[in-house]
Amino acid sequence: MARIIVVTSGKGGVGKTTTSAAIAMGLAKRGHKTAVIDFDVGLRNLDLIMGCERRVVYDLVNVINNEATLNQALIKDKRCEQLFILPASQTRDKDALTTEGVGKILEELSKDFAYIVCDSPAGIERGATMAMYFADDAFVVTNPEVSSVRDSDRMLGILSSKSRRAEKGEEAINEYLLLTRYSPERVRLGEMLSVDDVQDILSLKLLGVIPESKAVLNASNSGTPVILDEESDAGQAYSDIVARYLGEDKPHRFIEEKKGIFSKIFGSK
């Protein structure tokens, strides 16, 4: 059976789709057959981040409505044969997502895939609740700012009470924290919450910190998951996150402020 991961947040614009693309690619690159699904019906951005927007013929809603088969809608990534993308519809309403329809798709995918990554829209609208309902693991993405953390805290309540696991009284969803757009320099200046601040509020296991990086924007614009940019801090951070999720012991990087050469020479802090 596949492990179903939902990438979620309470606030928009925190990097969920970037994270979904990077995590899915990272898992696939490690040899795990992985599907990544865009649940943001009406907008659809995952295909752009993955660089396959011109290859979209059928989408998630087409499959739910029996207008196409799952195999017809799945797009095989050209860079990694273990990775497949299921895009969202740009023309349908979010009410087109049904528990029965989504459940059937996930059940079918689970027969053939090791991991299914669900890219959730922000907030608590239908696409978001559908993305998280069947989850085994939740990657809660937040920026180090008060409003983003507060909204993520609200999502944790929904994850613990309105998932299939909660309804059936099963073991709770595993919840992990991903902190994006982090800048140790801005933390020092008091412009941003620290990692400890965020963990104190959310009480989640820290899976990784993604630093502020131009590489994220460059990767998005080129239709390439940033994890493939192995020279960038952001790409390395996502690689570490995948490794930790798979059980490897990786020290957290990008949390401390980098010292310049003069600081190293003269020992200043």
Side-chain angles (χ1 to χ4, degrees):
M1 288 292 289
R3 196 78 186 169
I4 300 173
I5 302 167
V6 62
V7 179
T8 186
S9 75
K11 188 177 177 66
V14 298
K16 287 185 302 300
T17 300
T18 294
T19 296
S20 297
I23 296 300
M25 178 62 79
L27 290 168
K29 280 288 187 181
R30 284 170 167 261
H32 304 287
K33 192 171 183 181
T34 303
V36 57
I37 306 174
D38 190 348
F39 277 84
D40 203 354
V41 174
L43 290 179
R44 197 174 85 190
N45 287 314
L46 179 64
D47 56 308
L48 293 172
I49 301 293
M50 297 299 300
C52 64
E53 67 276 9
R54 296 183 180 179
R55 299 171 60 202
V56 176
V57 179
Y58 298 108
D59 56 52
L60 173 62
V61 176
N62 289 138
V63 180
I64 289 175
N65 292 341
N66 295 315
E67 297 161 350
T69 66
L70 187 55
N71 284 336
Q72 286 176 317
L74 283 171
I75 300 170
K76 187 175 183 178
D77 188 85
K78 291 183 176 181
R79 295 152 300 205
C80 182
E81 63 179 12
Q82 295 286 73
L83 180 58
F84 292 77
I85 301 98
L86 181 57
S89 171
Q90 282 184 307
T91 59
R92 306 296 181 95
D93 187 87
K94 292 176 173 60
D95 290 336
L97 299 179
T98 64
T99 304
E100 181 182 4
V102 171
K104 185 177 179 181
I105 287 173
L106 294 175
E107 183 179 0
E108 190 171 343
L109 286 172
S110 293
K111 297 174 183 177
D112 197 33
F113 286 82
Y115 293 97
I116 302 168
V117 179
C118 301
D119 180 24
S120 170
I124 56 174
E125 46 101 319
R126 188 162 187 79
T129 56
M130 282 293 101
M132 70 177 67
Y133 180 75
F134 295 94
D136 299 307
D137 304 312
F139 290 4
V140 181
V141 183
T142 187
N143 292 157
E145 57 182 55
V146 173
S147 61
S148 181
V149 174
R150 182 189 63 189
D151 289 347
S152 292
D153 192 34
R154 187 180 181 195
M155 296 307 297
L156 293 176
I158 296 171
L159 283 167
S160 65
S161 62
K162 295 188 177 181
S163 68
R164 179 177 61 173
R165 284 173 170 265
E167 288 182 359
K168 292 187 174 182
E170 297 175 353
E171 185 178 346
I173 294 173
N174 294 314
E175 298 166 343
Y176 303 96
L177 172 64
L178 271 71
L179 196 55
T180 55
R181 296 177 181 166
Y182 192 76
S183 169
E185 293 82 3
R186 292 183 65 191
V187 171
R188 175 173 55 82
L189 294 171
E191 299 173 355
M192 185 176 280
L193 296 176
S194 69
V195 172
D196 289 341
D197 291 335
V198 177
Q199 284 192 285
D200 284 345
I201 297 168
L202 297 180
S203 300
L204 290 181
K205 179 179 179 180
L206 180 66
L207 199 57
V209 174
I210 298 92
E212 280 188 322
S213 173
K214 292 180 180 178
V216 173
L217 180 59
N218 293 338
S220 297
N221 287 338
S222 65
T224 305
V226 71
I227 196 171
L228 296 178
D229 183 358
E230 297 176 358
E231 299 300 315
S232 71
D233 286 353
Q236 293 170 28
Y238 276 115
S239 292
D240 288 351
I241 285 168
V242 172
R244 289 189 199 100
Y245 176 67
L246 293 175
E248 296 180 27
D249 186 14
K250 288 272 187 181
H252 285 283
R253 298 188 279 172
F254 315 113
I255 293 177
E256 301 297 329
E257 191 170 356
K258 290 182 178 179
K259 294 183 178 180
I261 186 168
F262 289 107
S263 296
K264 294 177 182 176
I265 292 172
F266 295 107
S268 61
K269 295 183 180 179

PDB file of all heavy atoms in Angstrom, residues 119-155:
ATOM      1  N   ASP A 119      -0.848  17.701  -3.211  1.00  0.00           N
ATOM      2  CA  ASP A 119      -0.581  19.137  -3.123  1.00  0.00           C
ATOM      3  C   ASP A 119      -1.891  19.852  -2.816  1.00  0.00           C
ATOM      4  O   ASP A 119      -2.750  20.003  -3.666  1.00  0.00           O
ATOM      5  CB  ASP A 119       0.016  19.625  -4.444  1.00  0.00           C
ATOM      6  CG  ASP A 119       0.319  21.114  -4.432  1.00  0.00           C
ATOM      7  OD1 ASP A 119       0.510  21.665  -3.333  1.00  0.00           O
ATOM      8  OD2 ASP A 119       0.361  21.720  -5.521  1.00  0.00           O
ATOM      9  N   SER A 120      -2.026  20.301  -1.580  1.00  0.00           N
ATOM     10  CA  SER A 120      -3.285  20.871  -1.105  1.00  0.00           C
ATOM     11  C   SER A 120      -3.347  22.369  -1.332  1.00  0.00           C
ATOM     12  O   SER A 120      -2.346  23.067  -1.173  1.00  0.00           O
ATOM     13  CB  SER A 120      -3.437  20.588   0.391  1.00  0.00           C
ATOM     14  OG  SER A 120      -4.525  21.307   0.942  1.00  0.00           O
ATOM     15  N   PRO A 121      -4.521  22.894  -1.692  1.00  0.00           N
ATOM     16  CA  PRO A 121      -4.691  24.351  -1.655  1.00  0.00           C
ATOM     17  C   PRO A 121      -4.678  24.829  -0.210  1.00  0.00           C
ATOM     18  O   PRO A 121      -4.807  24.032   0.722  1.00  0.00           O
ATOM     19  CB  PRO A 121      -6.058  24.572  -2.303  1.00  0.00           C
ATOM     20  CG  PRO A 121      -6.778  23.266  -2.148  1.00  0.00           C
ATOM     21  CD  PRO A 121      -5.733  22.202  -2.145  1.00  0.00           C
ATOM     22  N   ALA A 122      -4.529  26.133  -0.027  1.00  0.00           N
ATOM     23  CA  ALA A 122      -4.471  26.681   1.324  1.00  0.00           C
ATOM     24  C   ALA A 122      -5.842  26.690   1.974  1.00  0.00           C
ATOM     25  O   ALA A 122      -6.873  26.637   1.302  1.00  0.00           O
ATOM     26  CB  ALA A 122      -3.910  28.107   1.281  1.00  0.00           C
ATOM     27  N   GLY A 123      -5.839  26.747   3.304  1.00  0.00           N
ATOM     28  CA  GLY A 123      -7.090  26.933   4.026  1.00  0.00           C
ATOM     29  C   GLY A 123      -7.890  25.660   4.197  1.00  0.00           C
ATOM     30  O   GLY A 123      -7.355  24.557   4.202  1.00  0.00           O
ATOM     31  N   ILE A 124      -9.207  25.838   4.324  1.00  0.00           N
ATOM     32  CA  ILE A 124     -10.075  24.710   4.675  1.00  0.00           C
ATOM     33  C   ILE A 124     -11.184  24.507   3.655  1.00  0.00           C
ATOM     34  O   ILE A 124     -12.219  23.919   3.962  1.00  0.00           O
ATOM     35  CB  ILE A 124     -10.683  24.922   6.082  1.00  0.00           C
ATOM     36  CG1 ILE A 124     -11.429  26.261   6.161  1.00  0.00           C
ATOM     37  CG2 ILE A 124      -9.607  24.851   7.152  1.00  0.00           C
ATOM     38  CD1 ILE A 124     -12.180  26.465   7.462  1.00  0.00           C
ATOM     39  N   GLU A 125     -10.978  25.000   2.419  1.00  0.00           N
ATOM     40  CA  GLU A 125     -11.992  24.757   1.400  1.00  0.00           C
ATOM     41  C   GLU A 125     -11.943  23.299   0.958  1.00  0.00           C
ATOM     42  O   GLU A 125     -11.087  22.537   1.394  1.00  0.00           O
ATOM     43  CB  GLU A 125     -11.818  25.733   0.234  1.00  0.00           C
ATOM     44  CG  GLU A 125     -10.388  25.869  -0.250  1.00  0.00           C
ATOM     45  CD  GLU A 125     -10.130  25.075  -1.496  1.00  0.00           C
ATOM     46  OE1 GLU A 125     -10.621  23.933  -1.596  1.00  0.00           O
ATOM     47  OE2 GLU A 125      -9.432  25.585  -2.363  1.00  0.00           O
ATOM     48  N   ARG A 126     -12.844  22.924   0.057  1.00  0.00           N
ATOM     49  CA  ARG A 126     -13.056  21.511  -0.243  1.00  0.00           C
ATOM     50  C   ARG A 126     -11.809  20.802  -0.770  1.00  0.00           C
ATOM     51  O   ARG A 126     -11.522  19.665  -0.404  1.00  0.00           O
ATOM     52  CB  ARG A 126     -14.214  21.346  -1.235  1.00  0.00           C
ATOM     53  CG  ARG A 126     -14.601  19.886  -1.445  1.00  0.00           C
ATOM     54  CD  ARG A 126     -15.980  19.744  -2.057  1.00  0.00           C
ATOM     55  NE  ARG A 126     -16.408  18.361  -2.109  1.00  0.00           N
ATOM     56  CZ  ARG A 126     -16.892  17.683  -1.082  1.00  0.00           C
ATOM     57  NH1 ARG A 126     -17.001  18.269   0.086  1.00  0.00           N
ATOM     58  NH2 ARG A 126     -17.280  16.433  -1.209  1.00  0.00           N
ATOM     59  N   GLY A 127     -11.064  21.470  -1.647  1.00  0.00           N
ATOM     60  CA  GLY A 127      -9.857  20.847  -2.171  1.00  0.00           C
ATOM     61  C   GLY A 127      -8.881  20.494  -1.065  1.00  0.00           C
ATOM     62  O   GLY A 127      -8.250  19.432  -1.085  1.00  0.00           O
ATOM     63  N   ALA A 128      -8.786  21.367  -0.078  1.00  0.00           N
ATOM     64  CA  ALA A 128      -7.875  21.129   1.038  1.00  0.00           C
ATOM     65  C   ALA A 128      -8.350  19.981   1.919  1.00  0.00           C
ATOM     66  O   ALA A 128      -7.563  19.124   2.328  1.00  0.00           O
ATOM     67  CB  ALA A 128      -7.729  22.401   1.861  1.00  0.00           C
ATOM     68  N   THR A 129      -9.626  19.956   2.228  1.00  0.00           N
ATOM     69  CA  THR A 129     -10.142  18.892   3.095  1.00  0.00           C
ATOM     70  C   THR A 129     -10.073  17.528   2.398  1.00  0.00           C
ATOM     71  O   THR A 129      -9.817  16.515   3.044  1.00  0.00           O
ATOM     72  CB  THR A 129     -11.587  19.184   3.529  1.00  0.00           C
ATOM     73  OG1 THR A 129     -12.418  19.374   2.371  1.00  0.00           O
ATOM     74  CG2 THR A 129     -11.646  20.433   4.394  1.00  0.00           C
ATOM     75  N   MET A 130     -10.277  17.521   1.074  1.00  0.00           N
ATOM     76  CA  MET A 130     -10.162  16.269   0.334  1.00  0.00           C
ATOM     77  C   MET A 130      -8.721  15.776   0.302  1.00  0.00           C
ATOM     78  O   MET A 130      -8.448  14.575   0.404  1.00  0.00           O
ATOM     79  CB  MET A 130     -10.656  16.465  -1.108  1.00  0.00           C
ATOM     80  CG  MET A 130     -12.160  16.473  -1.279  1.00  0.00           C
ATOM     81  SD  MET A 130     -12.936  14.861  -0.945  1.00  0.00           S
ATOM     82  CE  MET A 130     -13.548  15.146   0.708  1.00  0.00           C
ATOM     83  N   ALA A 131      -7.781  16.718   0.143  1.00  0.00           N
ATOM     84  CA  ALA A 131      -6.371  16.343   0.088  1.00  0.00           C
ATOM     85  C   ALA A 131      -5.901  15.713   1.391  1.00  0.00           C
ATOM     86  O   ALA A 131      -5.084  14.792   1.398  1.00  0.00           O
ATOM     87  CB  ALA A 131      -5.523  17.565  -0.251  1.00  0.00           C
ATOM     88  N   MET A 132      -6.407  16.226   2.513  1.00  0.00           N
ATOM     89  CA  MET A 132      -5.915  15.747   3.803  1.00  0.00           C
ATOM     90  C   MET A 132      -6.727  14.573   4.368  1.00  0.00           C
ATOM     91  O   MET A 132      -6.238  13.874   5.263  1.00  0.00           O
ATOM     92  CB  MET A 132      -5.892  16.885   4.815  1.00  0.00           C
ATOM     93  CG  MET A 132      -7.242  17.368   5.270  1.00  0.00           C
ATOM     94  SD  MET A 132      -7.138  18.658   6.552  1.00  0.00           S
ATOM     95  CE  MET A 132      -6.412  19.999   5.638  1.00  0.00           C
ATOM     96  N   TYR A 133      -7.922  14.345   3.855  1.00  0.00           N
ATOM     97  CA  TYR A 133      -8.811  13.355   4.465  1.00  0.00           C
ATOM     98  C   TYR A 133      -8.187  11.954   4.498  1.00  0.00           C
ATOM     99  O   TYR A 133      -8.297  11.235   5.494  1.00  0.00           O
ATOM    100  CB  TYR A 133     -10.143  13.304   3.707  1.00  0.00           C
ATOM    101  CG  TYR A 133     -11.128  12.313   4.280  1.00  0.00           C
ATOM    102  CD1 TYR A 133     -11.817  12.585   5.463  1.00  0.00           C
ATOM    103  CD2 TYR A 133     -11.360  11.087   3.659  1.00  0.00           C
ATOM    104  CE1 TYR A 133     -12.706  11.673   6.009  1.00  0.00           C
ATOM    105  CE2 TYR A 133     -12.255  10.161   4.192  1.00  0.00           C
ATOM    106  CZ  TYR A 133     -12.923  10.458   5.362  1.00  0.00           C
ATOM    107  OH  TYR A 133     -13.801   9.549   5.903  1.00  0.00           O
ATOM    108  N   PHE A 134      -7.520  11.565   3.421  1.00  0.00           N
ATOM    109  CA  PHE A 134      -6.988  10.204   3.312  1.00  0.00           C
ATOM    110  C   PHE A 134      -5.518  10.093   3.728  1.00  0.00           C
ATOM    111  O   PHE A 134      -4.907   9.034   3.583  1.00  0.00           O
ATOM    112  CB  PHE A 134      -7.129   9.708   1.867  1.00  0.00           C
ATOM    113  CG  PHE A 134      -8.548   9.548   1.406  1.00  0.00           C
ATOM    114  CD1 PHE A 134      -9.182  10.576   0.724  1.00  0.00           C
ATOM    115  CD2 PHE A 134      -9.265   8.390   1.671  1.00  0.00           C
ATOM    116  CE1 PHE A 134     -10.496  10.443   0.300  1.00  0.00           C
ATOM    117  CE2 PHE A 134     -10.582   8.250   1.250  1.00  0.00           C
ATOM    118  CZ  PHE A 134     -11.202   9.282   0.565  1.00  0.00           C
ATOM    119  N   ALA A 135      -4.940  11.161   4.256  1.00  0.00           N
ATOM    120  CA  ALA A 135      -3.496  11.209   4.491  1.00  0.00           C
ATOM    121  C   ALA A 135      -3.020  10.266   5.590  1.00  0.00           C
ATOM    122  O   ALA A 135      -3.720  10.013   6.573  1.00  0.00           O
ATOM    123  CB  ALA A 135      -3.078  12.635   4.832  1.00  0.00           C
ATOM    124  N   ASP A 136      -1.809   9.766   5.399  1.00  0.00           N
ATOM    125  CA  ASP A 136      -1.090   9.039   6.442  1.00  0.00           C
ATOM    126  C   ASP A 136      -0.092   9.964   7.136  1.00  0.00           C
ATOM    127  O   ASP A 136       0.151   9.851   8.331  1.00  0.00           O
ATOM    128  CB  ASP A 136      -0.327   7.853   5.836  1.00  0.00           C
ATOM    129  CG  ASP A 136      -1.246   6.858   5.162  1.00  0.00           C
ATOM    130  OD1 ASP A 136      -2.210   6.401   5.806  1.00  0.00           O
ATOM    131  OD2 ASP A 136      -1.004   6.549   3.974  1.00  0.00           O
ATOM    132  N   ASP A 137       0.494  10.858   6.338  1.00  0.00           N
ATOM    133  CA  ASP A 137       1.478  11.810   6.838  1.00  0.00           C
ATOM    134  C   ASP A 137       1.112  13.210   6.344  1.00  0.00           C
ATOM    135  O   ASP A 137       0.633  13.371   5.215  1.00  0.00           O
ATOM    136  CB  ASP A 137       2.885  11.465   6.338  1.00  0.00           C
ATOM    137  CG  ASP A 137       3.299  10.051   6.713  1.00  0.00           C
ATOM    138  OD1 ASP A 137       3.134   9.676   7.895  1.00  0.00           O
ATOM    139  OD2 ASP A 137       3.775   9.318   5.832  1.00  0.00           O
ATOM    140  N   ALA A 138       1.362  14.212   7.171  1.00  0.00           N
ATOM    141  CA  ALA A 138       1.086  15.599   6.793  1.00  0.00           C
ATOM    142  C   ALA A 138       2.357  16.427   6.933  1.00  0.00           C
ATOM    143  O   ALA A 138       2.988  16.434   7.993  1.00  0.00           O
ATOM    144  CB  ALA A 138      -0.021  16.193   7.663  1.00  0.00           C
ATOM    145  N   PHE A 139       2.728  17.089   5.846  1.00  0.00           N
ATOM    146  CA  PHE A 139       3.826  18.050   5.880  1.00  0.00           C
ATOM    147  C   PHE A 139       3.193  19.426   6.008  1.00  0.00           C
ATOM    148  O   PHE A 139       2.577  19.930   5.061  1.00  0.00           O
ATOM    149  CB  PHE A 139       4.658  17.982   4.596  1.00  0.00           C
ATOM    150  CG  PHE A 139       5.476  16.725   4.437  1.00  0.00           C
ATOM    151  CD1 PHE A 139       5.394  15.689   5.345  1.00  0.00           C
ATOM    152  CD2 PHE A 139       6.339  16.581   3.366  1.00  0.00           C
ATOM    153  CE1 PHE A 139       6.149  14.529   5.205  1.00  0.00           C
ATOM    154  CE2 PHE A 139       7.109  15.440   3.203  1.00  0.00           C
ATOM    155  CZ  PHE A 139       7.014  14.405   4.123  1.00  0.00           C
ATOM    156  N   VAL A 140       3.297  20.021   7.172  1.00  0.00           N
ATOM    157  CA  VAL A 140       2.691  21.330   7.432  1.00  0.00           C
ATOM    158  C   VAL A 140       3.723  22.403   7.090  1.00  0.00           C
ATOM    159  O   VAL A 140       4.740  22.534   7.763  1.00  0.00           O
ATOM    160  CB  VAL A 140       2.240  21.444   8.899  1.00  0.00           C
ATOM    161  CG1 VAL A 140       1.597  22.807   9.154  1.00  0.00           C
ATOM    162  CG2 VAL A 140       1.249  20.327   9.235  1.00  0.00           C
ATOM    163  N   VAL A 141       3.429  23.149   6.032  1.00  0.00           N
ATOM    164  CA  VAL A 141       4.371  24.154   5.529  1.00  0.00           C
ATOM    165  C   VAL A 141       3.990  25.519   6.080  1.00  0.00           C
ATOM    166  O   VAL A 141       2.843  25.947   5.966  1.00  0.00           O
ATOM    167  CB  VAL A 141       4.356  24.182   3.982  1.00  0.00           C
ATOM    168  CG1 VAL A 141       5.394  25.176   3.457  1.00  0.00           C
ATOM    169  CG2 VAL A 141       4.618  22.794   3.412  1.00  0.00           C
ATOM    170  N   THR A 142       4.962  26.192   6.658  1.00  0.00           N
ATOM    171  CA  THR A 142       4.685  27.514   7.212  1.00  0.00           C
ATOM    172  C   THR A 142       5.880  28.431   7.040  1.00  0.00           C
ATOM    173  O   THR A 142       7.027  27.969   6.975  1.00  0.00           O
ATOM    174  CB  THR A 142       4.306  27.420   8.708  1.00  0.00           C
ATOM    175  OG1 THR A 142       3.889  28.691   9.184  1.00  0.00           O
ATOM    176  CG2 THR A 142       5.463  26.917   9.549  1.00  0.00           C
ATOM    177  N   ASN A 143       5.613  29.709   6.913  1.00  0.00           N
ATOM    178  CA  ASN A 143       6.662  30.721   6.944  1.00  0.00           C
ATOM    179  C   ASN A 143       6.882  31.146   8.391  1.00  0.00           C
ATOM    180  O   ASN A 143       5.975  31.020   9.220  1.00  0.00           O
ATOM    181  CB  ASN A 143       6.261  31.954   6.129  1.00  0.00           C
ATOM    182  CG  ASN A 143       6.174  31.689   4.633  1.00  0.00           C
ATOM    183  OD1 ASN A 143       5.493  32.397   3.920  1.00  0.00           O
ATOM    184  ND2 ASN A 143       6.864  30.668   4.152  1.00  0.00           N
ATOM    185  N   PRO A 144       8.042  31.664   8.737  1.00  0.00           N
ATOM    186  CA  PRO A 144       8.311  32.082  10.114  1.00  0.00           C
ATOM    187  C   PRO A 144       7.720  33.451  10.442  1.00  0.00           C
ATOM    188  O   PRO A 144       8.418  34.391  10.814  1.00  0.00           O
ATOM    189  CB  PRO A 144       9.846  32.103  10.166  1.00  0.00           C
ATOM    190  CG  PRO A 144      10.257  32.360   8.762  1.00  0.00           C
ATOM    191  CD  PRO A 144       9.245  31.720   7.886  1.00  0.00           C
ATOM    192  N   GLU A 145       6.409  33.560  10.297  1.00  0.00           N
ATOM    193  CA  GLU A 145       5.697  34.784  10.652  1.00  0.00           C
ATOM    194  C   GLU A 145       4.431  34.406  11.408  1.00  0.00           C
ATOM    195  O   GLU A 145       3.875  33.319  11.220  1.00  0.00           O
ATOM    196  CB  GLU A 145       5.356  35.601   9.407  1.00  0.00           C
ATOM    197  CG  GLU A 145       4.529  34.849   8.383  1.00  0.00           C
ATOM    198  CD  GLU A 145       4.244  35.683   7.135  1.00  0.00           C
ATOM    199  OE1 GLU A 145       5.203  36.178   6.518  1.00  0.00           O
ATOM    200  OE2 GLU A 145       3.064  35.817   6.794  1.00  0.00           O
ATOM    201  N   VAL A 146       3.959  35.287  12.254  1.00  0.00           N
ATOM    202  CA  VAL A 146       2.889  34.962  13.199  1.00  0.00           C
ATOM    203  C   VAL A 146       1.609  34.501  12.494  1.00  0.00           C
ATOM    204  O   VAL A 146       1.010  33.494  12.884  1.00  0.00           O
ATOM    205  CB  VAL A 146       2.584  36.169  14.109  1.00  0.00           C
ATOM    206  CG1 VAL A 146       1.356  35.894  14.967  1.00  0.00           C
ATOM    207  CG2 VAL A 146       3.776  36.491  14.999  1.00  0.00           C
ATOM    208  N   SER A 147       1.183  35.212  11.452  1.00  0.00           N
ATOM    209  CA  SER A 147      -0.086  34.859  10.794  1.00  0.00           C
ATOM    210  C   SER A 147      -0.010  33.489  10.141  1.00  0.00           C
ATOM    211  O   SER A 147      -0.966  32.706  10.195  1.00  0.00           O
ATOM    212  CB  SER A 147      -0.462  35.913   9.749  1.00  0.00           C
ATOM    213  OG  SER A 147       0.516  35.997   8.731  1.00  0.00           O
ATOM    214  N   SER A 148       1.123  33.162   9.531  1.00  0.00           N
ATOM    215  CA  SER A 148       1.286  31.864   8.883  1.00  0.00           C
ATOM    216  C   SER A 148       1.284  30.734   9.904  1.00  0.00           C
ATOM    217  O   SER A 148       0.643  29.695   9.706  1.00  0.00           O
ATOM    218  CB  SER A 148       2.597  31.850   8.085  1.00  0.00           C
ATOM    219  OG  SER A 148       2.777  30.620   7.428  1.00  0.00           O
ATOM    220  N   VAL A 149       1.989  30.949  11.014  1.00  0.00           N
ATOM    221  CA  VAL A 149       2.051  29.919  12.061  1.00  0.00           C
ATOM    222  C   VAL A 149       0.675  29.725  12.698  1.00  0.00           C
ATOM    223  O   VAL A 149       0.249  28.601  12.952  1.00  0.00           O
ATOM    224  CB  VAL A 149       3.097  30.307  13.120  1.00  0.00           C
ATOM    225  CG1 VAL A 149       3.068  29.317  14.283  1.00  0.00           C
ATOM    226  CG2 VAL A 149       4.494  30.347  12.498  1.00  0.00           C
ATOM    227  N   ARG A 150      -0.035  30.817  12.951  1.00  0.00           N
ATOM    228  CA  ARG A 150      -1.377  30.716  13.540  1.00  0.00           C
ATOM    229  C   ARG A 150      -2.318  29.917  12.642  1.00  0.00           C
ATOM    230  O   ARG A 150      -3.070  29.059  13.114  1.00  0.00           O
ATOM    231  CB  ARG A 150      -1.946  32.116  13.775  1.00  0.00           C
ATOM    232  CG  ARG A 150      -3.334  32.104  14.438  1.00  0.00           C
ATOM    233  CD  ARG A 150      -3.941  33.491  14.455  1.00  0.00           C
ATOM    234  NE  ARG A 150      -4.157  33.999  13.110  1.00  0.00           N
ATOM    235  CZ  ARG A 150      -4.523  35.239  12.818  1.00  0.00           C
ATOM    236  NH1 ARG A 150      -4.696  36.120  13.794  1.00  0.00           N
ATOM    237  NH2 ARG A 150      -4.699  35.617  11.571  1.00  0.00           N
ATOM    238  N   ASP A 151      -2.275  30.193  11.342  1.00  0.00           N
ATOM    239  CA  ASP A 151      -3.133  29.470  10.414  1.00  0.00           C
ATOM    240  C   ASP A 151      -2.755  27.996  10.324  1.00  0.00           C
ATOM    241  O   ASP A 151      -3.620  27.130  10.161  1.00  0.00           O
ATOM    242  CB  ASP A 151      -3.063  30.113   9.025  1.00  0.00           C
ATOM    243  CG  ASP A 151      -3.747  31.473   8.977  1.00  0.00           C
ATOM    244  OD1 ASP A 151      -4.481  31.792   9.935  1.00  0.00           O
ATOM    245  OD2 ASP A 151      -3.550  32.214   7.995  1.00  0.00           O
ATOM    246  N   SER A 152      -1.469  27.708  10.433  1.00  0.00           N
ATOM    247  CA  SER A 152      -1.033  26.309  10.437  1.00  0.00           C
ATOM    248  C   SER A 152      -1.533  25.586  11.677  1.00  0.00           C
ATOM    249  O   SER A 152      -1.896  24.404  11.628  1.00  0.00           O
ATOM    250  CB  SER A 152       0.497  26.231  10.363  1.00  0.00           C
ATOM    251  OG  SER A 152       0.963  26.672   9.112  1.00  0.00           O
ATOM    252  N   ASP A 153      -1.555  26.286  12.789  1.00  0.00           N
ATOM    253  CA  ASP A 153      -2.060  25.701  14.031  1.00  0.00           C
ATOM    254  C   ASP A 153      -3.530  25.299  13.873  1.00  0.00           C
ATOM    255  O   ASP A 153      -3.968  24.258  14.371  1.00  0.00           O
ATOM    256  CB  ASP A 153      -1.898  26.706  15.172  1.00  0.00           C
ATOM    257  CG  ASP A 153      -2.129  26.078  16.530  1.00  0.00           C
ATOM    258  OD1 ASP A 153      -1.789  24.896  16.710  1.00  0.00           O
ATOM    259  OD2 ASP A 153      -2.664  26.764  17.414  1.00  0.00           O
ATOM    260  N   ARG A 154      -4.274  26.114  13.154  1.00  0.00           N
ATOM    261  CA  ARG A 154      -5.674  25.787  12.891  1.00  0.00           C
ATOM    262  C   ARG A 154      -5.787  24.514  12.037  1.00  0.00           C
ATOM    263  O   ARG A 154      -6.673  23.689  12.254  1.00  0.00           O
ATOM    264  CB  ARG A 154      -6.349  26.954  12.181  1.00  0.00           C
ATOM    265  CG  ARG A 154      -7.857  26.776  12.001  1.00  0.00           C
ATOM    266  CD  ARG A 154      -8.471  27.955  11.293  1.00  0.00           C
ATOM    267  NE  ARG A 154      -9.918  27.800  11.149  1.00  0.00           N
ATOM    268  CZ  ARG A 154     -10.668  28.533  10.339  1.00  0.00           C
ATOM    269  NH1 ARG A 154     -10.122  29.468   9.601  1.00  0.00           N
ATOM    270  NH2 ARG A 154     -11.965  28.332  10.266  1.00  0.00           N
ATOM    271  N   MET A 155      -4.885  24.368  11.071  1.00  0.00           N
ATOM    272  CA  MET A 155      -4.913  23.185  10.210  1.00  0.00           C
ATOM    273  C   MET A 155      -4.637  21.917  11.010  1.00  0.00           C
ATOM    274  O   MET A 155      -5.182  20.855  10.711  1.00  0.00           O
ATOM    275  CB  MET A 155      -3.874  23.319   9.087  1.00  0.00           C
ATOM    276  CG  MET A 155      -4.131  24.459   8.119  1.00  0.00           C
ATOM    277  SD  MET A 155      -5.786  24.446   7.396  1.00  0.00           S
ATOM    278  CE  MET A 155      -5.750  22.908   6.505  1.00  0.00           C
TER     279      MET A 155
END
